[in-house]
């Protein structure tokens, strides 16, 4: 604990220190893993729709052919951060960010089943939210914007995402959630809304600009492109034959697995090893007998 305080002083600033962020992530991990189903699922729907709104914003930038490669990708990434801003500031449950709950699991504070239950419920809720936004945007004729430029951009983005093999998508998923979880980590350092926004924008912009794969964003990008392709909205000369349900499922599976490795392994495990195992953490962990009693109590049905 003393070492953790030393770390706090070493990185001291107005922002929360890395040791304080690690402490917060562990406590939030316990709460998230034991959240009741209904609020958890509803907050997951909110997150799926929120990431979809960020993707919608990105498509508007991508649909402007007058922008150069770097400007289009970086600006698109900046506006995409709208999605994570809604999640982090407004409050929602996002699968990729919840990969960090493994920090509480490695402490023995939550069970493997609780981690898997959280990930399953949140992943499915995110998909429902993304699908809901797909329906709303399709019915609002969003694809007709810029003389059909947004529709063409959505198809091009989706074709680019389902064309690589699963191994490539898996590694794109790792890189994506490494940056997304760093964005979440930096957002937790902020004390104000402006702090949180400033912390998360650049990591999100980086993963979007690099074309990495975020499974929840792909739950929006791929279904809406598939819907356009199957309802006669494909421009003449564009080949969208790879936009099949099998390829979409393959992308989501590989991106999800990559996101878990990138978030839980390359961010959660490394920071846990540094600030909990190496420096002792700020909050002492409960003894094993006490932790078992807490788990047994929380496992009992509410009366």
């Amino acid at each position: 604990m003393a070492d953790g305080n030393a770390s706090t002083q070493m990185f001291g600033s107005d922002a929360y220190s890395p040791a304080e962020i690690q402490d917060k992530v562990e406590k939030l991990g316990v709460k998230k893993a034991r959240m009741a189903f209904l609020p958890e699922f509803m907050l997951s729907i909110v997150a799926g729709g929120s990431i979809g709104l960020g993707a919608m914003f990105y498509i508007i930038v991508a649909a402007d052919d007058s922008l150069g490669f770097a400007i289009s990708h970086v600006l698109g990434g900046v506006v995409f951060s709208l999605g994570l801003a809604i999640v982090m500031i407004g409050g929602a449950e996002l699968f990729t960010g919840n990969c960090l709950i493994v920090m509480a699991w490695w402490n023995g504070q939550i069970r493997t089943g609780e981690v898997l239950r959280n990930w399953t419920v949140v992943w499915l809720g995110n998909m429902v939210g993304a699908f809901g936004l797909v329906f709303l945007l399709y019915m609002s004729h969003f694809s007709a914007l810029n003389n059909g430029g947004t529709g063409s951009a959505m198809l091009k983005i989706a074709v680019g995402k389902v064309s690589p093999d699963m191994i490539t998508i898996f590694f794109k998923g790792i890189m994506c959630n490494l940056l997304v979880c760093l964005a979440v980590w930096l957002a937790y350092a902020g004390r104000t809304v402006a702090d949180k926004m400033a912390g998360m924008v650049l990591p999100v912009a980086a993963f979007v600009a690099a074309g990495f794969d975020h499974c929840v964003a792909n739950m929006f990008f791929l279904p809406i492109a598939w819907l356009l392709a199957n309802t006669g909205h494909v421009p003449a000369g564009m080949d969208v034959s790879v936009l099949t349900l099998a390829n979409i499922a393959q992308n989501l599976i590989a991106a999800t697995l990559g996101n878990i490795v990138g978030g839980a392994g390359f961010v959660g495990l490394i920071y846990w090893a540094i600030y909990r195992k190496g420096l002792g953490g700020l909050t002492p962990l409960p003894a094993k007998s006490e932790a078992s009693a807490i788990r047994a109590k929380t496992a009992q049905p509410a009366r």
Side-chain angles (χ1 to χ4, degrees):
M1 184 174 177
D3 288 339
N5 285 329
S7 172
T8 302
Q9 294 169 3
M10 181 169 62
F11 294 99
S13 69
D14 187 48
Y16 289 107
S17 71
E20 289 173 310
I21 299 170
Q22 167 262 323
D23 192 64
K24 184 174 183 179
V25 170
E26 287 181 359
K27 290 174 180 174
L28 282 174
V30 174
K31 289 182 179 178
K32 285 174 178 287
R34 294 174 181 159
M35 187 182 295
F37 172 78
L38 183 59
E40 183 178 51
F41 191 66
M42 296 299 289
L43 286 170
S44 304
I45 293 174
V46 171
S50 300
I51 295 300
L53 288 173
M56 177 201 73
F57 211 177
Y58 165 76
I59 289 166
I60 292 172
V61 176
D64 190 340
D65 294 331
S66 66
L67 299 175
F69 170 81
I71 293 176
S72 173
H73 280 65
V74 174
L75 179 60
V78 170
V79 300
F80 186 95
S81 61
L82 165 70
L84 191 61
I86 297 172
V87 170
M88 294 299 298
I89 297 169
E93 292 294 312
L94 180 64
F95 173 79
T96 45
N98 280 17
C99 288
L100 291 176
I101 70 174
V102 294
M103 295 177 75
W105 177 68
W106 280 314
N107 287 340
Q109 293 172 287
I110 55 178
R111 296 189 183 98
T112 303
E114 291 173 318
V115 174
L116 296 178
R117 173 194 170 278
N118 175 272
W119 285 356
T120 302
V121 171
V122 172
W123 194 92
L124 292 174
N126 289 167
M127 178 172 279
V128 171
F131 283 7
L133 186 66
V134 166
F135 173 74
L136 292 174
L137 288 180
Y138 179 79
M139 295 304 292
S140 68
H141 297 282
F142 172 70
S143 62
L145 205 62
N146 191 21
N147 296 318
T150 50
S152 297
M154 285 189 279
L155 290 166
K156 289 178 184 175
I157 292 167
V159 167
K161 287 190 174 296
V162 299
S163 295
D165 59 86
M166 287 188 75
I167 299 298
T168 303
I169 297 170
F170 172 75
F171 281 97
K172 284 188 171 188
I174 290 176
M175 288 302 303
C176 169
N177 212 28
L178 185 156
L179 286 163
V180 170
C181 284
L182 285 176
V184 170
W185 190 271
L186 294 182
Y188 282 143
R191 294 180 185 272
T192 68
V193 170
D195 291 345
K196 294 178 183 296
M197 286 292 298
M200 74 178 73
V201 167
L202 289 181
V204 171
F207 104 72
V208 175
F212 297 143
D213 279 278
H214 186 278
C215 66
V216 181
N218 288 0
M219 290 173 186
F220 169 80
F221 281 128
L222 303 183
I224 198 167
W226 181 88
L227 191 57
L228 292 175
N230 286 276
T231 52
H233 293 82
V234 180
M238 181 182 289
D239 181 9
V240 295
S241 57
V242 295
L243 285 177
T244 64
L245 292 178
N247 284 341
I248 291 173
Q250 174 179 287
N251 175 284
L252 292 180
I253 291 169
T256 299
L257 294 175
N259 288 166
I260 291 172
V261 174
F266 284 84
V267 179
L269 176 59
I270 289 176
Y271 279 140
W272 176 82
I274 295 170
Y275 294 106
R276 171 58 69 183
K277 296 300 289 183
L279 298 175
L282 295 181
T283 304
L285 294 174
K288 287 187 176 179
S289 57
E290 184 182 347
S292 298
I294 292 172
R295 284 200 296 266
K297 184 178 180 180
T298 55
Q300 293 176 355
R303 296 178 179 176

